[in-house]
Short mmCIF file of all heavy atoms in Angstrom, two decimals:
data_model
loop_
_atom_site.label_atom_id
_atom_site.label_comp_id
_atom_site.label_asym_id
_atom_site.label_seq_id
_atom_site.Cartn_x
_atom_site.Cartn_y
_atom_site.Cartn_z
N ARG N 40 -23.80 19.81 6.65
CA ARG N 40 -25.20 19.89 6.55
C ARG N 40 -25.74 20.83 5.51
O ARG N 40 -26.63 20.56 4.72
CB ARG N 40 -25.82 20.14 7.95
CG ARG N 40 -26.41 19.01 8.68
CD ARG N 40 -27.16 19.45 9.96
NE ARG N 40 -26.69 18.69 11.00
CZ ARG N 40 -25.69 19.00 11.90
NH1 ARG N 40 -25.19 20.09 11.84
NH2 ARG N 40 -25.39 18.19 12.86
N ALA N 41 -25.19 22.05 5.61
CA ALA N 41 -25.60 23.11 4.72
C ALA N 41 -25.39 22.80 3.22
O ALA N 41 -26.33 22.91 2.42
CB ALA N 41 -25.00 24.45 5.12
N VAL N 42 -24.12 22.43 2.91
CA VAL N 42 -23.88 22.10 1.53
C VAL N 42 -24.62 20.88 1.02
O VAL N 42 -25.09 20.83 -0.06
CB VAL N 42 -22.33 21.93 1.28
CG1 VAL N 42 -22.01 21.47 -0.05
CG2 VAL N 42 -21.64 23.25 1.58
N HIS N 43 -24.73 19.87 1.83
CA HIS N 43 -25.47 18.67 1.53
C HIS N 43 -26.96 19.03 1.20
O HIS N 43 -27.55 18.51 0.24
CB HIS N 43 -25.40 17.66 2.69
CG HIS N 43 -25.93 16.29 2.36
ND1 HIS N 43 -27.31 15.90 2.69
CD2 HIS N 43 -25.48 15.26 1.71
CE1 HIS N 43 -27.46 14.66 2.28
NE2 HIS N 43 -26.40 14.23 1.66
N ARG N 44 -27.53 19.90 1.98
CA ARG N 44 -28.96 20.30 1.72
C ARG N 44 -29.09 21.06 0.46
O ARG N 44 -29.96 20.87 -0.39
CB ARG N 44 -29.46 21.08 3.00
CG ARG N 44 -30.93 21.43 2.90
CD ARG N 44 -31.44 22.12 4.18
NE ARG N 44 -30.52 22.96 4.82
CZ ARG N 44 -29.99 22.74 6.04
NH1 ARG N 44 -30.28 21.60 6.70
NH2 ARG N 44 -29.12 23.47 6.65
N LEU N 45 -28.12 22.08 0.25
CA LEU N 45 -28.15 22.92 -0.95
C LEU N 45 -27.95 22.15 -2.26
O LEU N 45 -28.46 22.49 -3.29
CB LEU N 45 -27.11 24.08 -0.82
CG LEU N 45 -27.42 25.16 0.18
CD1 LEU N 45 -26.17 25.97 0.38
CD2 LEU N 45 -28.67 25.92 -0.21
N THR N 46 -27.16 21.10 -2.13
CA THR N 46 -26.89 20.26 -3.40
C THR N 46 -27.84 19.05 -3.48
O THR N 46 -27.52 18.21 -4.30
CB THR N 46 -25.40 19.89 -3.40
OG1 THR N 46 -25.21 18.93 -2.32
CG2 THR N 46 -24.52 21.05 -3.44
N ARG N 47 -28.79 18.97 -2.67
CA ARG N 47 -29.71 17.84 -2.64
C ARG N 47 -29.05 16.43 -2.50
O ARG N 47 -29.29 15.54 -3.18
CB ARG N 47 -30.59 17.84 -3.92
CG ARG N 47 -31.49 19.05 -3.95
CD ARG N 47 -32.46 18.93 -5.10
NE ARG N 47 -33.28 20.13 -5.15
CZ ARG N 47 -33.39 21.01 -6.16
NH1 ARG N 47 -32.73 20.69 -7.26
NH2 ARG N 47 -34.16 22.03 -6.12
N GLY N 48 -28.00 16.49 -1.63
CA GLY N 48 -27.35 15.23 -1.30
C GLY N 48 -26.17 14.91 -2.19
O GLY N 48 -25.59 13.81 -1.96
N ARG N 49 -25.82 15.66 -3.20
CA ARG N 49 -24.82 15.39 -4.10
C ARG N 49 -23.39 15.69 -3.67
O ARG N 49 -22.40 15.04 -4.04
CB ARG N 49 -24.98 16.01 -5.45
CG ARG N 49 -26.23 15.46 -6.15
CD ARG N 49 -26.40 16.01 -7.62
NE ARG N 49 -26.53 17.42 -7.65
CZ ARG N 49 -27.68 18.06 -7.51
NH1 ARG N 49 -28.80 17.45 -7.25
NH2 ARG N 49 -27.72 19.43 -7.50
N VAL N 50 -23.27 16.67 -2.68
CA VAL N 50 -21.97 17.11 -2.22
C VAL N 50 -21.88 17.10 -0.72
O VAL N 50 -22.78 17.62 -0.04
CB VAL N 50 -21.58 18.58 -2.74
CG1 VAL N 50 -20.30 19.00 -2.26
CG2 VAL N 50 -21.76 18.58 -4.27
N LEU N 51 -20.81 16.58 -0.20
CA LEU N 51 -20.52 16.55 1.22
C LEU N 51 -19.05 17.05 1.40
O LEU N 51 -18.15 16.19 1.04
CB LEU N 51 -20.69 15.15 1.78
CG LEU N 51 -20.79 15.03 3.29
CD1 LEU N 51 -21.96 15.74 3.87
CD2 LEU N 51 -20.86 13.48 3.62
N PRO N 52 -18.80 18.29 1.72
CA PRO N 52 -17.46 18.81 1.70
C PRO N 52 -16.39 17.96 2.37
O PRO N 52 -15.34 17.80 1.86
CB PRO N 52 -17.62 20.23 2.31
CG PRO N 52 -18.93 20.57 2.10
CD PRO N 52 -19.75 19.36 2.13
N SER N 53 -16.74 17.44 3.61
CA SER N 53 -15.65 16.66 4.29
C SER N 53 -15.31 15.36 3.60
O SER N 53 -14.27 14.87 3.86
CB SER N 53 -16.20 16.35 5.71
OG SER N 53 -17.37 15.56 5.65
N ALA N 54 -16.19 14.92 2.67
CA ALA N 54 -15.94 13.66 1.94
C ALA N 54 -14.83 13.94 0.87
O ALA N 54 -14.42 12.94 0.24
CB ALA N 54 -17.17 13.22 1.25
N ARG N 55 -14.30 15.17 0.73
CA ARG N 55 -13.13 15.33 -0.11
C ARG N 55 -11.88 14.65 0.41
O ARG N 55 -10.99 14.32 -0.26
CB ARG N 55 -12.78 16.83 -0.24
CG ARG N 55 -13.96 17.61 -0.72
CD ARG N 55 -14.14 17.76 -2.19
NE ARG N 55 -12.98 18.33 -2.86
CZ ARG N 55 -12.75 18.12 -4.16
NH1 ARG N 55 -13.62 17.44 -4.91
NH2 ARG N 55 -11.65 18.65 -4.72
N MET N 56 -11.86 14.48 1.76
CA MET N 56 -10.72 13.76 2.44
C MET N 56 -11.14 12.35 2.85
O MET N 56 -10.29 11.48 2.82
CB MET N 56 -10.20 14.61 3.68
CG MET N 56 -9.62 15.87 3.39
SD MET N 56 -8.34 15.79 2.01
CE MET N 56 -7.05 14.90 2.89
N LEU N 57 -12.27 12.13 3.37
CA LEU N 57 -12.73 10.89 3.82
C LEU N 57 -14.10 10.62 3.24
O LEU N 57 -14.85 11.58 3.17
CB LEU N 57 -12.91 10.86 5.32
CG LEU N 57 -11.65 10.60 6.17
CD1 LEU N 57 -11.93 10.87 7.64
CD2 LEU N 57 -11.19 9.16 5.95
N PRO N 58 -14.46 9.47 2.86
CA PRO N 58 -15.76 9.20 2.46
C PRO N 58 -16.79 9.57 3.56
O PRO N 58 -16.44 9.45 4.75
CB PRO N 58 -15.83 7.65 2.24
CG PRO N 58 -14.45 7.23 2.07
CD PRO N 58 -13.66 8.27 2.90
N GLY N 59 -17.95 10.03 3.22
CA GLY N 59 -18.90 10.48 4.22
C GLY N 59 -20.30 10.10 3.86
O GLY N 59 -20.68 9.82 2.71
N VAL N 60 -21.14 10.02 4.94
CA VAL N 60 -22.60 9.80 4.81
C VAL N 60 -23.27 10.86 5.62
O VAL N 60 -22.60 11.55 6.57
CB VAL N 60 -22.98 8.44 5.33
CG1 VAL N 60 -22.39 7.34 4.51
CG2 VAL N 60 -22.63 8.23 6.81
N VAL N 61 -24.53 11.05 5.40
CA VAL N 61 -25.36 11.82 6.33
C VAL N 61 -26.33 10.76 6.98
O VAL N 61 -27.11 10.09 6.23
CB VAL N 61 -26.16 12.95 5.64
CG1 VAL N 61 -27.10 13.63 6.70
CG2 VAL N 61 -25.16 13.97 5.05
N LEU N 62 -26.17 10.55 8.24
CA LEU N 62 -26.95 9.59 8.99
C LEU N 62 -28.21 10.21 9.46
O LEU N 62 -28.14 11.32 10.10
CB LEU N 62 -26.11 9.07 10.24
CG LEU N 62 -26.88 8.15 11.22
CD1 LEU N 62 -27.13 6.82 10.60
CD2 LEU N 62 -25.99 8.10 12.44
N THR N 63 -29.34 9.64 9.26
CA THR N 63 -30.63 10.03 9.81
C THR N 63 -31.06 8.96 10.71
O THR N 63 -31.39 7.78 10.28
CB THR N 63 -31.63 10.31 8.72
OG1 THR N 63 -31.14 11.34 7.81
CG2 THR N 63 -32.99 10.84 9.39
N ALA N 64 -31.11 9.26 11.95
CA ALA N 64 -31.51 8.23 12.98
C ALA N 64 -32.46 8.93 13.93
O ALA N 64 -32.34 10.12 14.23
CB ALA N 64 -30.22 7.71 13.80
N ARG N 65 -33.29 8.21 14.60
CA ARG N 65 -34.24 8.70 15.57
C ARG N 65 -33.42 8.98 16.81
O ARG N 65 -32.65 8.21 17.31
CB ARG N 65 -35.40 7.78 15.89
CG ARG N 65 -36.36 7.69 14.70
CD ARG N 65 -37.66 7.04 15.14
NE ARG N 65 -37.43 5.62 15.18
CZ ARG N 65 -38.04 4.78 16.01
NH1 ARG N 65 -38.91 5.24 16.95
NH2 ARG N 65 -37.83 3.49 16.00
N GLY N 66 -33.78 10.15 17.47
CA GLY N 66 -33.10 10.52 18.68
C GLY N 66 -33.51 9.53 19.80
O GLY N 66 -34.61 9.04 19.86
N ALA N 67 -32.47 9.17 20.61
CA ALA N 67 -32.68 8.21 21.69
C ALA N 67 -33.80 8.61 22.60
O ALA N 67 -34.61 7.72 23.09
CB ALA N 67 -31.42 7.98 22.47
N LYS N 68 -33.92 9.90 22.98
CA LYS N 68 -34.98 10.35 23.86
C LYS N 68 -36.16 10.95 23.18
O LYS N 68 -37.24 10.66 23.54
CB LYS N 68 -34.37 11.31 24.81
CG LYS N 68 -33.26 10.80 25.73
CD LYS N 68 -32.71 11.91 26.64
CE LYS N 68 -31.52 11.24 27.43
NZ LYS N 68 -30.78 12.20 28.19
N SER N 69 -35.91 11.77 22.15
CA SER N 69 -37.01 12.45 21.49
C SER N 69 -37.79 11.59 20.44
O SER N 69 -38.95 11.84 20.21
CB SER N 69 -36.55 13.74 20.77
OG SER N 69 -35.80 13.33 19.66
N GLY N 70 -37.10 10.66 19.84
CA GLY N 70 -37.68 9.94 18.78
C GLY N 70 -37.74 10.66 17.51
O GLY N 70 -38.20 10.17 16.49
N LEU N 71 -37.26 11.92 17.44
CA LEU N 71 -37.32 12.69 16.28
C LEU N 71 -36.07 12.45 15.40
O LEU N 71 -35.01 12.09 15.88
CB LEU N 71 -37.31 14.21 16.65
CG LEU N 71 -38.51 14.66 17.44
CD1 LEU N 71 -38.35 16.15 17.86
CD2 LEU N 71 -39.78 14.45 16.63
N ALA N 72 -36.22 12.66 14.07
CA ALA N 72 -35.15 12.47 13.18
C ALA N 72 -33.94 13.41 13.45
O ALA N 72 -34.14 14.54 13.66
CB ALA N 72 -35.58 12.66 11.71
N ARG N 73 -32.79 12.82 13.50
CA ARG N 73 -31.53 13.64 13.74
C ARG N 73 -30.58 13.34 12.56
O ARG N 73 -30.25 12.21 12.33
CB ARG N 73 -30.92 13.18 15.06
CG ARG N 73 -31.71 13.36 16.27
CD ARG N 73 -32.05 14.78 16.50
NE ARG N 73 -32.81 14.93 17.75
CZ ARG N 73 -33.62 15.97 17.96
NH1 ARG N 73 -33.79 16.87 17.06
NH2 ARG N 73 -34.29 16.02 19.13
N ARG N 74 -30.22 14.44 11.89
CA ARG N 74 -29.30 14.27 10.70
C ARG N 74 -27.92 14.64 11.13
O ARG N 74 -27.67 15.78 11.55
CB ARG N 74 -29.84 15.10 9.52
CG ARG N 74 -31.15 14.64 9.00
CD ARG N 74 -31.72 15.46 7.90
NE ARG N 74 -30.82 15.71 6.75
CZ ARG N 74 -30.64 14.86 5.75
NH1 ARG N 74 -31.27 13.76 5.73
NH2 ARG N 74 -29.78 15.20 4.75
N THR N 75 -26.98 13.72 10.88
CA THR N 75 -25.60 13.91 11.30
C THR N 75 -24.67 13.58 10.17
O THR N 75 -24.63 12.36 9.75
CB THR N 75 -25.28 13.05 12.53
OG1 THR N 75 -26.34 13.27 13.57
CG2 THR N 75 -23.91 13.40 13.12
N PRO N 76 -23.92 14.55 9.61
CA PRO N 76 -22.90 14.19 8.66
C PRO N 76 -21.69 13.50 9.36
O PRO N 76 -21.25 13.98 10.43
CB PRO N 76 -22.40 15.56 8.13
CG PRO N 76 -23.35 16.58 8.74
CD PRO N 76 -24.05 15.96 9.90
N LEU N 77 -21.27 12.36 8.85
CA LEU N 77 -20.19 11.58 9.45
C LEU N 77 -19.21 11.06 8.45
O LEU N 77 -19.63 10.62 7.29
CB LEU N 77 -20.80 10.40 10.14
CG LEU N 77 -21.77 10.62 11.31
CD1 LEU N 77 -22.45 9.38 11.67
CD2 LEU N 77 -21.03 11.21 12.47
N ALA N 78 -17.97 10.91 8.83
CA ALA N 78 -16.99 10.21 8.00
C ALA N 78 -17.43 8.73 8.12
O ALA N 78 -17.86 8.32 9.18
CB ALA N 78 -15.59 10.49 8.48
N CYS N 79 -17.07 8.00 7.11
CA CYS N 79 -17.35 6.57 7.23
C CYS N 79 -16.24 5.75 6.49
O CYS N 79 -15.50 6.37 5.68
CB CYS N 79 -18.71 6.25 6.50
SG CYS N 79 -18.79 6.40 4.78
N MET N 80 -16.32 4.54 6.71
CA MET N 80 -15.41 3.64 5.98
C MET N 80 -16.24 2.62 5.22
O MET N 80 -16.75 1.75 5.85
CB MET N 80 -14.39 2.93 7.01
CG MET N 80 -13.30 2.11 6.29
SD MET N 80 -12.19 1.33 7.50
CE MET N 80 -12.68 -0.37 7.19
#
Side-chain angles (χ1 to χ4, degrees):
R40 254 189 231 95
V42 172
H43 189 263
R44 187 173 33 247
L45 289 171
T46 63
R47 296 187 181 124
R49 290 186 302 275
V50 178
L51 194 63
S53 64
R55 306 270 304 159
M56 291 311 293
L57 277 173
V60 297
V61 175
L62 172 70
T63 303
R65 284 194 286 147
K68 295 178 185 172
S69 72
L71 298 175
R73 302 293 183 208
R74 293 177 55 83
T75 309
L77 298 167
C79 71
M80 189 179 110

